[in-house]
Amino acid sequence: MRRLIGMASLKRATTLLSNFRRQSTITKSLPQLTKDRYPHIKRGDYATLSQKHLDYFVGLLGRNRVLTDPSDCEMYNVDFIKAVRGYSQCVLKPQTTEEVSNILSFCNQHRLAVCPQGGNTGLVGGSVPVFDEVVLSTSLLNKIISIDDISGVMVCEAGCVLERLDETLGERGLMMPLDLGAKGSCNIGGNVSTNAGGLRLLRYGNLHGSVLGVEAVKANGDVIDCLSTLKKDNTGYHLMHLFIGSEGTLGIVTKVAIHCPSRPTSLNLALLGLHSFEDILRTYSRAKKELSEILSSCEMMDASSLDVVTSHLKLKSPLGEFPFYMVIETSGSNEKHDEEKLNAFLESVMGDGIVADGTVTNEPSKIRLIWDLRERITEGLLHDGYLFKYDISLPIKDFYSLIPKMRERLGSDASRIAGYGHIGDGNIHLNISVPEFRPDVLKKVEPYVYELTSKLKGSVSAEHGVGFRKPPYIHYSKSDNAIGLMKELKNMMDPNGILNPYKVLPSQ
Amino acid sequence: MRRLIGMASLKRATTLLSNFRRQSTITKSLPQLTKDRYPHIKRGDYATLSQKHLDYFVGLLGRNRVLTDPSDCEMYNVDFIKAVRGYSQCVLKPQTTEEVSNILSFCNQHRLAVCPQGGNTGLVGGSVPVFDEVVLSTSLLNKIISIDDISGVMVCEAGCVLERLDETLGERGLMMPLDLGAKGSCNIGGNVSTNAGGLRLLRYGNLHGSVLGVEAVKANGDVIDCLSTLKKDNTGYHLMHLFIGSEGTLGIVTKVAIHCPSRPTSLNLALLGLHSFEDILRTYSRAKKELSEILSSCEMMDASSLDVVTSHLKLKSPLGEFPFYMVIETSGSNEKHDEEKLNAFLESVMGDGIVADGTVTNEPSKIRLIWDLRERITEGLLHDGYLFKYDISLPIKDFYSLIPKMRERLGSDASRIAGYGHIGDGNIHLNISVPEFRPDVLKKVEPYVYELTSKLKGSVSAEHGVGFRKPPYIHYSKSDNAIGLMKELKNMMDPNGILNPYKVLPSQ
């Protein structure tokens, strides 16, 4: 059963950082300006950047950390998947919390709208300006402040890149509790602000649980210091959660304290081929029970998703063709124990005919190659042309139900309808590709896909957030009372609405 | 090394529910009324209960669910440790969210203050009235709504008792992710409202991570439905966290959705004797590394804490006398693997002389007896007389530092100074006992203990919350800006201040 795979001929994938960079050559042309593609969105009543404003910023940060050259600003105006584009003429790069505080206080007084930006890897247009908002980049807030080996608590600035943090922690026998495809570029401040999920949420939980403390700056420049490094702290309201997942609209995260688990010494990865979605459910149930405490990731992809990386990125799959695949990772502290558990599990699911074929490895290079088949789908999809991307949570039994429904509805209008994601977390990524943006296809997909999700009591945004692209749809997942309370919160914390406007909350 | 302990002669402890009930016979007399013991706290400008109000409540709930007889109301007016006592003349027992909503809407209109109460096991006076607030008991909101075996998500009403939930989940191979001494009485709504911690936080994380959804009723009666059962849902602000740990001052939790892990099939418990606090730190570090994914609890107690249960409760310790003890629990899915890991760990720490003596068991009755030594300290301490109780988080290296300092400071003024708690979470319970309440001892202890905690960057309330007894001290752990934002939140969500007044936030 342990079919050691002939992957020696496959060349080792480069890091995801370079994947993310490389993709910028795929879509050569810039997208239409957001203001033109979405003409019904009107610019708010904010000030327009003037020389007086720039003089203040240069006085505060110096010339080198105030970008105004249009070519310098361009990459900050366009999102990763080239779906939205602002026309900000000013990018600020503070290096301290105090600078962030001064910037916001000034912008608040002068009614200048601000778009906070981390690694700019968001998929819902939340991290780039919609119009001419000043971009506040956290990229130079990039220091690790402390790591406590015994408690596993790390404190760092918001602009630290996730992968770099994980590497540094690795030297101490620790690891980041989250991992996602964009790790080579995304910033921890952005992760926290968007409540990023990723591949290991199944094992290590979400950021509301892992983050111990946050320092954030409110719209008026007030620094809210909730940078506790303690695992338990019940002194008053738990304010830091206001900044987790509010996508920079209630404050800008400047520092983060996070609990980092011990790094496992034993790692195994299995790629499985299955005949039906029902078999995926059965396999997940069995994995939860039989792999239990060593299960660290449980992912699925359909044939159309795997085809993206084999066709476009020329990756080779070690398995034959199946309608469904799963990637199951175990990690633990005892190689022999983990191998015994995994082998017993694989023997049982294959013996019972639930899994049709499989391959398993503990060699780092081969682990990387299998992960690439799953992690590089997002990148590969960009080669298809224009993408309608949906990031949906559903009750697990309905996890895959949208895909056949969309295929039936769209027929030949779509060049691909692919479903893949985090089966262990009930989170599927539905991608519909077309050669070029087509409004008639959009009309067939939306709001249908949201209505369906709502009917199944799912979430119209599982982990990507709301950003610019989804505010009109959050009522499919949230009640009027809840949205009303969100608006009250926004008004209380940012009465002038300068922080990341046009994002998250629906307009009146 | 595996010294199977002669505990047959010890009779099996009764459940903690009965422990909690039984203790009411210990302290026979009622405590002084809070209004008399704390005369500087003035009753707010609320309405006084009238027949008109009672008529409304009886019309809504019927006679049986509106308690007005003073003897019926008494137990709702006094807290578990008999430290505070209100004089409410009315206890309401709603059975539905709609009834809670109607009650709050009415109280808000009529400016009647409301004290929400779950199992009334709180230790900071948060769950009983300070003056004559109407008590809203959640005890009849006690239905389990659904349990999903595959995803492990349970939805239930706020008044469900923690232990009962855990037993029901046990029948499905699942478990509650939190466990605490008061489990036989405490309600899940109270657990969520106070962000309860407990014995397994180390393994399963805190409630901000485990709770998936909350339904809560605001002061004005608005129902905020954030009862998501999804592990990922990033649609707008994460409102449910406003209700986790705000101790019923921002809204009353009526329903909870919680992620329940698989119940381990293999459980081991070790009781260790150690010579120094430094050895505890070493042992914890090694346990984290060597027991890793199967470590489910790591507790410590000093000799004075163990003496509480051996002297007052006549429990027998299977070990000789040591200055320090640890209780280490492992849980996993493979008995043989777990035993191998635990044995290897114990051999290594005892071989290295870090642990002086130890005993380990996997027999349920013996596991219960060892846990009793740790869990019944709180109960046993009540026999000492009056208690000054502190629930402190500290950076792990300073974990035990308060105890020798307090012993030096108080000398013979204290009959006992005991330190025990959750070493894995940096959370120590410091208890100072005196035969009777003495204001001069209080003055020696406070604010000294808080100043010390603040200097060490700890938290003056780790898991017990702020309640009535600690609002004057939260500034030792929170900045002025943070407290200011908390007050803004309170004003926004409960402008008339009817919800659990005099609690959590310091007065102006």
Short mmCIF file of all heavy atoms in Angstrom, two decimals, chain B residues 317-359:
data_model
loop_
_atom_site.label_atom_id
_atom_site.label_comp_id
_atom_site.label_asym_id
_atom_site.label_seq_id
_atom_site.Cartn_x
_atom_site.Cartn_y
_atom_site.Cartn_z
N SER B 317 -3.07 11.33 50.05
CA SER B 317 -2.16 11.45 48.92
C SER B 317 -1.33 10.18 48.79
O SER B 317 -0.83 9.66 49.79
CB SER B 317 -1.23 12.65 49.12
OG SER B 317 -0.13 12.54 48.22
N PRO B 318 -1.17 9.68 47.59
CA PRO B 318 -0.38 8.46 47.41
C PRO B 318 1.13 8.71 47.46
O PRO B 318 1.90 7.77 47.42
CB PRO B 318 -0.80 7.98 46.02
CG PRO B 318 -1.23 9.21 45.32
CD PRO B 318 -1.77 10.15 46.34
N LEU B 319 1.54 9.95 47.53
CA LEU B 319 2.98 10.26 47.57
C LEU B 319 3.37 10.73 48.97
O LEU B 319 2.52 11.17 49.75
CB LEU B 319 3.32 11.36 46.57
CG LEU B 319 3.23 11.07 45.08
CD1 LEU B 319 3.77 12.26 44.29
CD2 LEU B 319 4.01 9.81 44.71
N GLY B 320 4.68 10.68 49.24
CA GLY B 320 5.22 11.27 50.46
C GLY B 320 5.15 12.79 50.37
O GLY B 320 4.56 13.35 49.45
N GLU B 321 5.81 13.45 51.32
CA GLU B 321 5.72 14.91 51.35
C GLU B 321 6.81 15.58 50.51
O GLU B 321 7.98 15.22 50.60
CB GLU B 321 5.80 15.40 52.81
CG GLU B 321 4.54 14.98 53.57
CD GLU B 321 4.35 15.76 54.87
OE1 GLU B 321 5.16 16.66 55.15
OE2 GLU B 321 3.38 15.45 55.57
N PHE B 322 6.39 16.50 49.70
CA PHE B 322 7.31 17.28 48.87
C PHE B 322 6.86 18.73 48.91
O PHE B 322 5.69 19.01 49.17
CB PHE B 322 7.29 16.76 47.43
CG PHE B 322 7.85 15.38 47.29
CD1 PHE B 322 7.02 14.26 47.35
CD2 PHE B 322 9.22 15.19 47.17
CE1 PHE B 322 7.54 12.98 47.25
CE2 PHE B 322 9.75 13.91 47.08
CZ PHE B 322 8.91 12.81 47.13
N PRO B 323 7.77 19.66 48.62
CA PRO B 323 7.32 21.06 48.59
C PRO B 323 6.38 21.35 47.42
O PRO B 323 5.56 22.27 47.49
CB PRO B 323 8.62 21.86 48.49
CG PRO B 323 9.70 20.90 48.17
CD PRO B 323 9.22 19.52 48.52
N PHE B 324 6.51 20.57 46.35
CA PHE B 324 5.68 20.83 45.16
C PHE B 324 5.17 19.52 44.56
O PHE B 324 5.84 18.49 44.65
CB PHE B 324 6.47 21.59 44.09
CG PHE B 324 6.83 22.97 44.50
CD1 PHE B 324 8.09 23.25 45.02
CD2 PHE B 324 5.92 24.01 44.37
CE1 PHE B 324 8.43 24.54 45.41
CE2 PHE B 324 6.25 25.30 44.76
CZ PHE B 324 7.51 25.57 45.28
N TYR B 325 4.02 19.64 43.92
CA TYR B 325 3.44 18.49 43.22
C TYR B 325 2.98 18.93 41.83
O TYR B 325 2.63 20.09 41.61
CB TYR B 325 2.23 17.94 43.99
CG TYR B 325 2.57 17.53 45.40
CD1 TYR B 325 2.49 18.46 46.44
CD2 TYR B 325 2.98 16.24 45.68
CE1 TYR B 325 2.82 18.10 47.74
CE2 TYR B 325 3.32 15.87 46.99
CZ TYR B 325 3.24 16.81 48.02
OH TYR B 325 3.57 16.47 49.29
N MET B 326 2.96 17.97 40.92
CA MET B 326 2.36 18.23 39.60
C MET B 326 1.38 17.12 39.26
O MET B 326 1.58 15.96 39.64
CB MET B 326 3.44 18.28 38.50
CG MET B 326 4.32 19.49 38.56
SD MET B 326 5.59 19.46 37.26
CE MET B 326 4.68 20.19 35.88
N VAL B 327 0.33 17.49 38.54
CA VAL B 327 -0.59 16.51 37.98
C VAL B 327 -0.48 16.64 36.46
O VAL B 327 -0.69 17.73 35.91
CB VAL B 327 -2.05 16.78 38.43
CG1 VAL B 327 -3.00 15.80 37.77
CG2 VAL B 327 -2.17 16.70 39.95
N ILE B 328 -0.08 15.55 35.83
CA ILE B 328 0.09 15.59 34.37
C ILE B 328 -0.83 14.55 33.75
O ILE B 328 -0.80 13.38 34.11
CB ILE B 328 1.56 15.33 33.99
CG1 ILE B 328 2.40 16.55 34.41
CG2 ILE B 328 1.70 15.07 32.49
CD1 ILE B 328 3.86 16.48 33.99
N GLU B 329 -1.68 15.02 32.84
CA GLU B 329 -2.63 14.12 32.18
C GLU B 329 -2.27 13.97 30.71
O GLU B 329 -1.92 14.95 30.05
CB GLU B 329 -4.05 14.69 32.30
CG GLU B 329 -5.13 13.78 31.76
CD GLU B 329 -6.47 14.50 31.59
OE1 GLU B 329 -6.58 15.33 30.67
OE2 GLU B 329 -7.38 14.23 32.38
N THR B 330 -2.34 12.74 30.21
CA THR B 330 -2.23 12.54 28.76
C THR B 330 -3.53 11.96 28.26
O THR B 330 -4.20 11.21 28.97
CB THR B 330 -1.09 11.57 28.38
OG1 THR B 330 -1.43 10.25 28.83
CG2 THR B 330 0.25 11.99 28.98
N SER B 331 -3.90 12.31 27.03
CA SER B 331 -5.05 11.65 26.42
C SER B 331 -4.81 11.51 24.94
O SER B 331 -4.26 12.41 24.30
CB SER B 331 -6.34 12.39 26.73
OG SER B 331 -6.22 13.74 26.44
N GLY B 332 -5.21 10.37 24.42
CA GLY B 332 -4.95 10.11 23.02
C GLY B 332 -5.82 8.99 22.49
O GLY B 332 -6.79 8.59 23.13
N SER B 333 -5.44 8.49 21.32
CA SER B 333 -6.28 7.50 20.64
C SER B 333 -5.67 6.11 20.65
O SER B 333 -6.24 5.18 20.10
CB SER B 333 -6.53 7.95 19.20
OG SER B 333 -5.29 8.05 18.51
N ASN B 334 -4.48 5.97 21.22
CA ASN B 334 -3.81 4.66 21.17
C ASN B 334 -3.14 4.41 22.52
O ASN B 334 -2.12 5.03 22.85
CB ASN B 334 -2.79 4.65 20.03
CG ASN B 334 -2.15 3.29 19.82
OD1 ASN B 334 -1.65 2.68 20.77
ND2 ASN B 334 -2.18 2.82 18.59
N GLU B 335 -3.72 3.49 23.26
CA GLU B 335 -3.28 3.22 24.62
C GLU B 335 -1.78 2.88 24.68
O GLU B 335 -1.05 3.40 25.52
CB GLU B 335 -4.09 2.04 25.14
CG GLU B 335 -4.39 2.09 26.63
CD GLU B 335 -5.38 0.98 27.00
OE1 GLU B 335 -6.49 0.96 26.42
OE2 GLU B 335 -5.00 0.15 27.83
N LYS B 336 -1.38 2.01 23.77
CA LYS B 336 0.01 1.54 23.80
C LYS B 336 0.98 2.70 23.50
O LYS B 336 1.98 2.89 24.20
CB LYS B 336 0.17 0.43 22.74
CG LYS B 336 1.46 -0.34 22.83
CD LYS B 336 1.45 -1.51 21.86
CE LYS B 336 2.75 -1.62 21.08
NZ LYS B 336 2.82 -0.79 19.86
N HIS B 337 0.65 3.46 22.50
CA HIS B 337 1.51 4.61 22.15
C HIS B 337 1.61 5.60 23.32
O HIS B 337 2.68 6.10 23.65
CB HIS B 337 0.97 5.34 20.92
CG HIS B 337 1.08 4.55 19.65
ND1 HIS B 337 0.49 4.96 18.48
CD2 HIS B 337 1.72 3.40 19.37
CE1 HIS B 337 0.75 4.08 17.53
NE2 HIS B 337 1.50 3.12 18.04
N ASP B 338 0.46 5.87 23.91
CA ASP B 338 0.44 6.87 24.98
C ASP B 338 1.26 6.39 26.17
O ASP B 338 2.02 7.17 26.78
CB ASP B 338 -1.00 7.15 25.44
CG ASP B 338 -1.81 7.87 24.38
OD1 ASP B 338 -1.26 8.07 23.27
OD2 ASP B 338 -2.97 8.23 24.64
N GLU B 339 1.10 5.12 26.48
CA GLU B 339 1.83 4.57 27.62
C GLU B 339 3.34 4.61 27.34
O GLU B 339 4.13 4.96 28.24
CB GLU B 339 1.36 3.14 27.85
CG GLU B 339 1.48 2.70 29.29
CD GLU B 339 0.76 1.38 29.52
OE1 GLU B 339 -0.47 1.37 29.62
OE2 GLU B 339 1.48 0.36 29.59
N GLU B 340 3.72 4.29 26.14
CA GLU B 340 5.15 4.35 25.78
C GLU B 340 5.71 5.75 25.93
O GLU B 340 6.78 5.97 26.49
CB GLU B 340 5.36 3.89 24.33
CG GLU B 340 5.56 2.39 24.19
CD GLU B 340 5.77 1.98 22.72
OE1 GLU B 340 6.38 2.77 21.93
OE2 GLU B 340 5.31 0.88 22.37
N LYS B 341 4.94 6.71 25.44
CA LYS B 341 5.41 8.11 25.53
C LYS B 341 5.51 8.55 27.00
O LYS B 341 6.50 9.17 27.41
CB LYS B 341 4.45 9.05 24.79
CG LYS B 341 4.55 9.01 23.27
CD LYS B 341 3.74 10.14 22.64
CE LYS B 341 3.78 10.08 21.12
NZ LYS B 341 2.66 9.31 20.52
N LEU B 342 4.48 8.23 27.76
CA LEU B 342 4.46 8.68 29.16
C LEU B 342 5.57 7.99 29.97
O LEU B 342 6.26 8.64 30.76
CB LEU B 342 3.08 8.40 29.77
CG LEU B 342 2.84 8.90 31.20
CD1 LEU B 342 3.12 10.39 31.33
CD2 LEU B 342 1.41 8.62 31.65
N ASN B 343 5.74 6.70 29.74
CA ASN B 343 6.80 5.99 30.47
C ASN B 343 8.18 6.56 30.12
O ASN B 343 9.01 6.78 31.01
CB ASN B 343 6.76 4.49 30.17
CG ASN B 343 5.61 3.82 30.92
OD1 ASN B 343 5.02 4.41 31.81
ND2 ASN B 343 5.30 2.59 30.54
N ALA B 344 8.40 6.80 28.85
CA ALA B 344 9.70 7.35 28.44
C ALA B 344 9.93 8.71 29.09
O ALA B 344 11.02 9.02 29.58
CB ALA B 344 9.76 7.46 26.91
N PHE B 345 8.88 9.52 29.12
CA PHE B 345 8.98 10.84 29.73
C PHE B 345 9.28 10.72 31.23
O PHE B 345 10.20 11.36 31.74
CB PHE B 345 7.66 11.60 29.50
CG PHE B 345 7.46 12.76 30.43
CD1 PHE B 345 8.21 13.92 30.28
CD2 PHE B 345 6.50 12.71 31.45
CE1 PHE B 345 8.02 15.00 31.15
CE2 PHE B 345 6.31 13.78 32.31
CZ PHE B 345 7.08 14.93 32.16
N LEU B 346 8.54 9.87 31.92
CA LEU B 346 8.72 9.75 33.37
C LEU B 346 10.10 9.19 33.69
O LEU B 346 10.78 9.64 34.62
CB LEU B 346 7.63 8.88 33.99
CG LEU B 346 6.23 9.52 33.99
CD1 LEU B 346 5.17 8.53 34.47
CD2 LEU B 346 6.18 10.78 34.86
N GLU B 347 10.53 8.20 32.91
CA GLU B 347 11.87 7.67 33.12
C GLU B 347 12.91 8.76 32.96
O GLU B 347 13.86 8.86 33.74
CB GLU B 347 12.16 6.55 32.11
CG GLU B 347 11.78 5.17 32.65
CD GLU B 347 11.76 4.11 31.55
OE1 GLU B 347 12.58 4.20 30.60
OE2 GLU B 347 10.91 3.20 31.64
N SER B 348 12.73 9.59 31.94
CA SER B 348 13.76 10.60 31.68
C SER B 348 13.76 11.68 32.78
O SER B 348 14.82 12.05 33.29
CB SER B 348 13.62 11.19 30.28
OG SER B 348 12.87 12.37 30.27
N VAL B 349 12.60 12.17 33.21
CA VAL B 349 12.61 13.23 34.23
C VAL B 349 13.00 12.69 35.60
O VAL B 349 13.63 13.40 36.40
CB VAL B 349 11.27 14.01 34.32
CG1 VAL B 349 11.11 14.94 33.14
CG2 VAL B 349 10.07 13.10 34.48
N MET B 350 12.66 11.44 35.88
CA MET B 350 13.07 10.88 37.16
C MET B 350 14.54 10.48 37.11
O MET B 350 15.30 10.67 38.07
CB MET B 350 12.17 9.71 37.56
CG MET B 350 10.75 10.20 37.89
SD MET B 350 9.59 8.89 38.38
CE MET B 350 10.00 8.73 40.12
N GLY B 351 14.95 9.94 35.98
CA GLY B 351 16.36 9.59 35.80
C GLY B 351 17.26 10.80 35.95
O GLY B 351 18.35 10.73 36.52
N ASP B 352 16.81 11.93 35.46
CA ASP B 352 17.60 13.17 35.55
C ASP B 352 17.43 13.87 36.90
O ASP B 352 17.97 14.96 37.10
CB ASP B 352 17.20 14.14 34.43
CG ASP B 352 17.61 13.63 33.06
OD1 ASP B 352 18.36 12.61 33.02
OD2 ASP B 352 17.21 14.22 32.06
N GLY B 353 16.65 13.28 37.77
CA GLY B 353 16.49 13.87 39.11
C GLY B 353 15.63 15.12 39.15
O GLY B 353 15.61 15.85 40.14
N ILE B 354 14.91 15.39 38.07
CA ILE B 354 14.05 16.58 38.04
C ILE B 354 12.77 16.31 38.84
O ILE B 354 12.26 17.18 39.53
CB ILE B 354 13.70 16.96 36.58
CG1 ILE B 354 14.98 17.26 35.81
CG2 ILE B 354 12.76 18.13 36.53
CD1 ILE B 354 14.77 17.46 34.32
N VAL B 355 12.28 15.10 38.71
CA VAL B 355 11.11 14.68 39.49
C VAL B 355 11.59 13.71 40.56
O VAL B 355 12.33 12.76 40.27
CB VAL B 355 10.06 14.01 38.57
CG1 VAL B 355 8.98 13.32 39.39
CG2 VAL B 355 9.44 15.05 37.64
N ALA B 356 11.16 13.94 41.82
CA ALA B 356 11.67 13.14 42.93
C ALA B 356 10.91 11.82 43.10
O ALA B 356 11.50 10.79 43.40
CB ALA B 356 11.60 13.95 44.22
N ASP B 357 9.61 11.87 42.93
CA ASP B 357 8.82 10.65 43.08
C ASP B 357 7.57 10.82 42.24
O ASP B 357 7.15 11.95 41.92
CB ASP B 357 8.45 10.42 44.55
CG ASP B 357 7.98 8.98 44.80
OD1 ASP B 357 8.03 8.15 43.85
OD2 ASP B 357 7.57 8.69 45.94
N GLY B 358 6.94 9.70 41.87
CA GLY B 358 5.75 9.83 41.05
C GLY B 358 4.92 8.57 41.05
O GLY B 358 5.41 7.49 41.41
N THR B 359 3.68 8.74 40.65
CA THR B 359 2.80 7.60 40.52
C THR B 359 1.92 7.86 39.31
O THR B 359 1.59 9.01 39.01
CB THR B 359 1.96 7.42 41.81
OG1 THR B 359 1.05 6.36 41.60
CG2 THR B 359 1.18 8.68 42.13
#
